[in-house]
């Protein structure tokens, strides 16, 4: 109870601080000697298996010519290669080069606009360009990227590689790769061709369906050409309603609103519906989306907030946890989630504004160095927020049945979902079927869940078994497909069999990179080439590295044993047993 109140105060401080200056996120590539003896991490400073990823050297090309030279040098030296981006936001070990003496090629300095053709609505950018800058550059030419992820700190090369998306079933849908009409990619080549070549993939090139969502295993994307639209406005309204008819609504909502999504708060039995539609450019309004959870926050508050959070997640604090959750949800609601009608004040819905001010946010990226006084909430240099982010998509035709099953699970363990509610619930977003070989095979709903992760390896959590049951049910009963850039290891077991066109992708990979220079242990595991993403060891199910098949995969010494699921009885989860 005490904890709830303190956290509430902290949240209010966070809300009031708003646009404070902050330290930009740290550099994911760190080298011990100049550009050699390097490590690469992700933006949270931790991969799912908590190991450090090493490389022999790192290269930071500024031009396509330097990029070709970098690939050629690595190929000539028979080194494995991986591309790193400015911030490296993917959760799984995608950015880690194969072996221990590979090469990292960073796209940090490949961040310019190459050309804009306003009449045709085409914009070509270098692959390391950060989404925020891309959206801004397009807007300056009167153009809009119609759909994007909600966080603007990603790069175009990185977000395409993992099939990243916003939410839409209209037109070509919510995934950014649907708007790609050209790419230039640097791939390995025989010595006679100088060890590396540039491949130009135009709109009708059959290999574009492999290159658009490539996990970075085909080569380095140098440039991307996007088909944009004339700038437009959007009208956004958030409405909270009970979840009685949610299973039916989830199927139709994406057809009713071009940018619609839904956030489900299972314990509170509420759904926050996002009514979000296109408006004519002449509509009145200069709204801004500065989403609360993506603003910079004072480090001191993040650290004390985490201390509180850790207390709330302990075994015997469920009551406090569940008391606190509605408070944080209602604070977010009162603050309109960070939306304002004119850039500084929220006066009421709808919020109407230009696409480039509404589609994504990330003000915590934007600030000068301030010696870590304020940061993005997940900055790994401080002991602040630390979380799992699982996301998986389910075919639209199965979504109602899945939600009905989730509700059964919730009804059996409502308190297990208090932590999810406090983090603003399970986000449902719409994605259309794609021609990309590693894109979604069917029209789908993506379910995105963010929740507490312990800093201590193997430390169990009272209700994580329920969340694991939910995910196993999604993956195995409903054929869910995990987001390539999120999730923990166990979600990716056998994933490639869920892609009907995987064979075509592997055929292109064989032609572009026959020696697997761009392959890594992780990419071989998830593409079904070699090995499994599952790691079996003591406590592995607690960490999401395996599905448990004996007590030692849980934490029997702390009372967590291997048990079947409660609703999906085929699930195998770590469950806290009363003594
Ligand atoms: C706060 C937050 C919010 C998010 N919101 C969303 C969202 O709304 N929707 C969504 O779908 N996802 C979202 N994500 C996940 C995100 O989209 C993916 O993790 C994305 O791939 C990360 O992009 P990145 O530029 O950081 O790439 P990285 O994670 O650095 O790279 C991803 C992969 O692409 C490869 N790669 C990168 N650039 C190139 C290149 N030029 N050539 C070849 N390979 C390349 C890398 O080697 C790596 O394998 C979010 C993540 C965070 C942290
Ligand atoms: C949910 O809301 C509807 C009206 O929108 C109402 O008719 C219904 O009784 C509510 N259900 C519960 C369980 O509160
Ligand atoms: C339960 O909470 C009390 C304090 O309220 C604490 O002393 C005790 O260690 C906790 N027990 C467990 C098992 O977490
Ligand atoms: C927004 O509107 C409020 C109230 O009308 C006004 O005080 C404020 O200055 C406006 N902000 C901007 C950025 O226009």
């Amino acid at each position: 109870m005490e904890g709830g109140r303190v956290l509430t105060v902290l949240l209010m401080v966070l809300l009031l601080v708003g646009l404070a200056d902050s330290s930009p996120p740290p550099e994911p590539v760190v080298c011990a000697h100049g550009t050699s003896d390097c490590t690469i991490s992700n933006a949270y400073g931790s991969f799912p298996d908590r190991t450090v990823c090493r490389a022999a050297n790192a290269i930071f090309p500024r031009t396509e010519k330097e990029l070709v030279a970098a690939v050629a040098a690595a190929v000539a030296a028979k080194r494995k290669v991986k591309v790193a981006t400015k911030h490296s936001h993917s959760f799984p070990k995608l950015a880690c080069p194969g072996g221990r003496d590979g090469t990292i090629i960073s796209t940090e300095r490949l961040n310019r606009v190459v050309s804009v053709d306003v009449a045709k609505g085409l914009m070509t950018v270098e692959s390391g360009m950060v989404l925020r800058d891309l959206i801004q550059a397009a807007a300056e030419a009167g153009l809009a990227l119609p759909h994007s992820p909600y966080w603007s700190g990603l790069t175009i090369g990185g977000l395409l590689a993992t099939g990243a998306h916003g939410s839409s079933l209209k037109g070509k849908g919510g995934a950014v790769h649907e708007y790609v009409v050209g790419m230039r990619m640097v791939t390995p080549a025989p010595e006679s061709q100088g060890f590396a070549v540039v491949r130009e993939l135009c709109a009708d090139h059959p290999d574009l369906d492999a290159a658009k969502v490539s996990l970075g295993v085909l080569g380095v994307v140098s440039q991307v050409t996007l088909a944009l639209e004339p700038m437009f406005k959007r009208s956004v309204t958030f409405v909270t309603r009970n979840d009685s008819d949610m299973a039916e609504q989830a199927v139709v909502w994406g057809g009713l609103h071009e940018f619609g999504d839904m956030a489900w708060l299972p314990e509170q039995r509420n759904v926050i519906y996002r009514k979000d539609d296109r408006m004519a450019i002449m509509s009145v309004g200069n709204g801004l989306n500065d989403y609360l959870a993506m603003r910079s926050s004072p480090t001191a508050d993040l650290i004390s907030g985490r201390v509180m959070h850790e207390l709330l997640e302990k075994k015997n604090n469920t009551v406090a946890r569940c008391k606190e959750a509605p408070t944080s949800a209602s604070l977010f609601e009162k603050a309109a989630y960070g939306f304002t009608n004119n850039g500084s004040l929220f006066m009421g819905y709808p919020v109407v504004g230009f696409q480039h001010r509404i589609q994504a946010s990330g003000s915590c990226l934007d600030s000068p160095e301030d010696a870590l006084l304020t940061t993005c909430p997940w900055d790994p240099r401080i002991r602040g927020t630390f979380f799992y982010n699982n996301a998986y998509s389910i075919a639209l035709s199965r979504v109602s049945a899945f939600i009905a099953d989730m509700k059964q699970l919730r009804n059996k363990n409502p308190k297990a979902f208090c932590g999810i509610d406090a983090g603003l619930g399970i986000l449902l977003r719409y994605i259309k079927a794609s021609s990309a070989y590693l894109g979604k095979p069917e029209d789908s709903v993506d379910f995105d869940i963010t929740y507490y992760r312990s800093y201590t390896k193997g430390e169990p959590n009272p209700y994580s078994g329920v969340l694991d049951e939910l995910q196993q049910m999604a993956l195995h009963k409903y054929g869910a497909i995990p987001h390539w850039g999120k999730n923990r290891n166990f979600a990716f077991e056998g994933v490639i069999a869920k892609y009907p066109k995987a064979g075509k992708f592997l055929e292109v990979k064989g032609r572009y990179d026959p020696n697997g220079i761009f392959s890594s242990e992780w990419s071989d595991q998830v593409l079904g080439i070699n090995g499994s993403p599952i790691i079996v060891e003591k406590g592995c199910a607690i960490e999401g590295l395996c599905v448990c098949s004996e007590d030692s995969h849980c934490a029997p010494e702390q009372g967590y044993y291997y048990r079947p699921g409660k609703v999906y009885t085929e699930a195998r989860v770590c469950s806290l047993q009363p003594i």
Side-chain angles (χ1 to χ4, degrees):
M1 285 132 275
E2 194 57 42
R5 214 163 48 230
V6 176
L7 192 64
T8 303
V9 171
L10 283 173
L11 266 169
M12 287 190 338
V13 173
L14 298 191
L15 299 187
L16 293 173
V17 166
L19 295 165
D21 286 347
S22 77
S23 306
E27 172 62 56
V29 179
V30 176
C31 300
H33 310 286
T35 56
S36 57
D37 203 355
C38 307
T39 59
I40 171 149
S41 190
N42 58 17
Y44 329 92
S46 181
F47 291 115
D49 64 6
R50 302 188 192 243
T51 60
V52 174
C53 173
R54 297 185 188 286
N57 67 329
I59 307 175
F60 299 82
R62 289 174 182 279
T63 61
E64 187 177 87
K65 208 170 155 209
E66 287 180 18
L67 178 59
V68 173
V71 174
V75 173
K78 296 194 165 59
R79 280 193 172 152
K80 296 275 191 181
V81 179
K82 258 315 163 197
V83 177
T85 62
K86 185 158 199 256
H87 305 300
S88 186
H89 279 106
S90 292
F91 289 77
K93 244 178 163 168
L94 280 168
C96 197
R100 300 198 107 225
D101 57 354
T103 290
I104 293 165
I105 297 180
S106 171
T107 58
E108 190 179 297
R109 295 173 194 168
L110 287 170
N111 58 3
R112 286 165 299 242
V113 174
V114 178
S115 63
V116 187
D117 182 333
V118 177
K120 291 193 178 134
L122 298 178
M123 182 160 95
T124 299
V125 301
E126 293 176 331
S127 68
M129 193 163 200
V130 174
L131 182 59
R132 171 197 53 188
D133 302 333
L134 188 160
I135 288 171
Q136 189 58 39
E140 281 162 19
L143 298 172
L145 176 64
H147 297 281
S148 67
Y150 293 0
W151 159 244
S152 59
L154 313 168
T155 65
I156 185 69
L159 70 86
L160 290 175
T162 64
H165 56 85
S167 182
S168 191
L169 288 178
K170 294 273 169 78
K172 293 189 223 159
V176 181
H177 53 85
E178 303 305 333
Y179 302 89
V180 171
V181 293
M183 288 176 115
R184 287 171 69 86
M185 187 183 282
V186 183
T187 62
E191 184 172 2
S192 59
Q193 292 170 38
F195 293 111
V197 290
V198 180
R199 294 177 189 257
E200 185 158 11
L201 306 175
C202 300
D204 52 0
H205 198 293
D207 294 347
L208 202 53
D209 279 328
K212 282 194 268 194
V213 183
S214 75
L215 304 186
V217 300
L218 301 181
V220 189
V221 176
S222 164
Q223 294 176 8
V224 178
T225 303
L226 294 159
L228 306 178
E229 295 179 10
M231 180 56 74
F232 56 89
K233 282 188 176 175
R234 276 161 75 166
S235 167
V236 186
T237 301
F238 289 99
V239 186
T240 303
R241 295 216 307 257
N242 72 41
D243 67 6
S244 305
D245 61 345
M246 177 197 174
E248 300 86 71
Q249 286 296 342
V251 180
V252 298
W253 192 252
L256 295 175
H257 301 285
E258 182 174 0
F259 305 92
D261 71 24
M262 296 164 60
W264 182 34
L265 312 183
E267 203 273 336
Q268 292 169 49
R269 297 176 183 252
N270 277 334
V271 179
I272 305 165
Y273 289 88
R274 179 176 180 142
K275 265 168 79 172
D276 190 339
D277 293 288
R278 187 182 291 249
M279 303 281 282
I281 189 87
M282 306 85 71
S283 316
V284 176
N286 192 27
L288 180 72
N289 169 10
D290 183 11
Y291 192 67
L292 286 178
M294 294 169 183
R295 291 183 184 180
S296 54
S297 301
T299 311
D301 293 348
L302 290 169
I303 294 169
S304 50
R306 175 67 187 191
V307 170
M308 269 314 138
H309 204 172
E310 286 176 356
L311 285 175
L312 290 176
E313 294 288 339
K314 297 269 184 234
K315 258 189 208 174
N316 58 4
N317 259 351
T318 307
V319 174
R321 192 3 127 214
C322 288
K323 264 202 137 149
E324 192 278 328
T327 316
S328 56
S330 82
L331 275 171
F332 270 95
E333 189 179 357
K334 285 201 186 92
Y337 311 95
F339 283 70
T340 53
N341 300 88
N342 68 353
S344 67
L345 195 69
F346 176 71
M347 291 160 280
Y349 294 120
V351 169
V352 176
F354 291 104
Q355 164 71 346
H356 70 288
R357 284 165 60 89
I358 300 285
Q359 66 186 135
S361 77
S363 59
C364 71
L365 292 165
D366 269 327
S367 332
E369 291 286 354
D370 67 0
L372 284 182
L373 280 174
T374 52
T375 61
C376 287
W378 50 80
D379 193 304
R381 292 167 297 188
I382 60 160
R383 201 180 155 95
T385 318
F386 195 50
F387 54 91
Y388 289 123
N389 186 190
N390 300 333
Y392 31 84
S393 58
I394 290 182
L396 205 51
S397 56
R398 296 172 166 190
V399 159
S400 275
F402 176 58
I403 291 174
D405 266 358
M406 288 205 292
K407 281 186 165 180
Q408 270 201 53
L409 190 61
R410 183 271 316 272
N411 293 346
K412 284 206 153 108
N413 323 262
K415 299 210 166 356
F417 292 91
C418 292
I420 304 284
D421 285 13
L424 278 193
I426 301 177
L427 181 62
L428 279 66
R429 291 190 286 186
Y430 298 90
I431 313 170
K432 275 191 98 164
S434 180
S435 63
Y437 300 150
L438 298 186
K440 304 297 175 194
E442 293 177 81
D443 289 359
S444 312
V445 175
D446 176 84
F447 293 80
D448 191 305
I449 310 183
T450 300
Y451 61 100
Y452 180 82
R453 181 183 186 191
S454 174
Y455 277 111
T456 309
K457 185 173 181 182
E459 184 172 82
N461 189 267
Y463 292 114
S464 59
V466 176
L467 304 180
D468 288 346
E469 179 175 346
L470 182 69
Q471 195 173 356
Q472 289 178 36
M473 181 165 80
L475 292 167
H476 300 128
K477 184 170 175 188
Y478 291 97
I481 301 183
H483 190 305
W484 290 116
K486 302 184 177 189
N487 297 293
R488 306 182 299 171
N489 290 35
F490 85 84
F492 292 99
E493 193 185 20
V495 65
I496 200 65
K498 294 177 175 173
Y499 287 93
K501 295 180 195 146
K504 291 184 166 186
F505 181 81
L506 293 174
E507 183 274 320
V508 176
K509 177 170 158 50
R511 268 192 287 126
Y512 279 33
D513 182 22
N515 298 320
I517 299 276
F518 285 88
S519 295
S520 64
E521 288 80 2
W522 179 255
S523 73
D524 281 351
Q525 288 158 5
V526 296
L527 291 172
I529 293 170
N530 188 19
S532 158
I534 297 287
I535 298 173
V536 178
E537 61 185 23
K538 192 174 170 303
C540 58
I542 300 286
E543 293 284 304
L545 302 175
C546 70
V547 172
C548 53
S549 55
E550 54 181 71
D551 287 338
S552 74
H553 299 155
C554 299
E557 68 289 348
Q558 295 178 69
Y560 291 78
Y561 296 92
Y562 140 78
R563 288 289 181 273
K566 293 198 170 84
V567 168
Y568 177 56
T569 50
E570 283 95 329
R572 294 292 175 265
V573 302
C574 297
S575 169
L576 179 58
Q577 298 301 313
I579 302 152

